[in-house]
Amino acid sequence: MRSINYIIAIGFVFISCEILEPVYDNTLDLDNNSPPAILFTPEVSSTTLGGSAAITLNVLEVENIAGMRARIQYDNARLAVSTISAGSFFSASDPPVFVYDDNGSGTLDIYSFYMGSDKIKSGTGDIALIVFNTKLPGDGNIDITSESELLDENGQLIPIQSFGSGVIIAQ
C-alpha cells in the first residue's frame, strides 16, 4: 500500500512540473537573422579593464561568393584592435587573399577573397578572428555597417540581409 502512495505522489510531482523549453541564443541561428548575413560571435563578451576579447566575424548562409568586405565600426574610446587573423571559410589549397585596414579612429575594414579552383564558396563560416583590448570600463559597441559587401565571381554585389552588432564589456 505504501508503494502505491509513493507512485501516486511521484506522478503528481511529474504532472505538476512545467516542462521548460530550452532557450537557444545562437547568433548563427536562422531564427535570429535573415541570410545572407555578416555577424559577430559572440555578440556579448566580457573581460577585465585592459583585458582582451576575441570576436569572430562570420558569414551566414551565403551562396556563391568569391569575396567580401566587412566594414566594422567600434567604440575607439573604449576599444582598440589588437590582432586580426584570417578565418577558415575561404580556406582552400591556396590561402585566401586577406587584408585589413584599421585606421585607429573606430573603423576597421576587412577584405577577403577566395582563391580556390572553383572560384566561389557557399555556406556558413568564420571569415576572421578579431581581438579587441579594452581601454575604459563599460560597454564598447561594435557594428558591421551597411557599407559591407559580398561579391560574386564577377564582382557583382550580393545583397546582405542582416548586419551583426556586438558589445564588449570591460569590468
Side-chain angles (χ1 to χ4, degrees), residues 10-45:
I10 291 172
F12 279 118
V13 168
F14 283 115
I15 292 171
S16 65
C17 290
E18 180 181 341
I19 297 175
L20 299 175
E21 289 288 324
V23 175
Y24 299 104
D25 191 19
N26 181 350
T27 304
L28 300 177
D29 280 343
L30 294 178
D31 292 341
N32 297 327
N33 298 289
S34 298
I38 304 177
L39 310 166
F40 294 119
T41 56
E43 289 179 299
V44 178
S45 184

Side-chain angles (χ1 to χ4, degrees), residues 69-71 73 107 109 144-150 160 163:
R69 168 192 172 204
R71 172 157 280 182
Q73 292 292 135
T107 301
D109 284 308
I144 299 169
T145 73
S146 60
E147 295 172 78
S148 300
E149 301 172 331
L150 298 174
I160 300 170
F163 299 90

Side-chain angles (χ1 to χ4, degrees), residues 54-142:
I55 305 296
T56 304
L57 177 68
N58 300 282
V59 289
L60 173 66
E61 288 202 2
V62 296
E63 291 193 26
N64 303 321
I65 68 169
M68 59 89 55
R69 168 192 172 204
R71 172 157 280 182
I72 299 166
Q73 292 292 135
Y74 64 93
D75 182 348
N76 67 320
R78 297 185 185 281
L79 303 171
V81 175
S82 172
T83 60
I84 303 168
S85 57
S88 62
F89 183 73
F90 282 139
S91 293
S93 57
D94 294 320
V97 172
F98 183 82
V99 198
Y100 61 87
D101 180 29
D102 175 28
N103 66 11
S105 64
T107 301
L108 168 64
D109 284 308
I110 296 176
Y111 303 88
S112 189
F113 297 93
Y114 186 56
M115 300 304 290
S117 59
D118 48 353
K119 299 182 184 175
I120 55 172
K121 187 84 175 182
S122 297
T124 297
D126 59 313
I127 296 292
L129 178 68
I130 309 164
V131 177
F132 288 95
N133 288 336
T134 59
K135 301 192 296 188
L136 292 173
D139 297 354
N141 294 318
I142 54 175

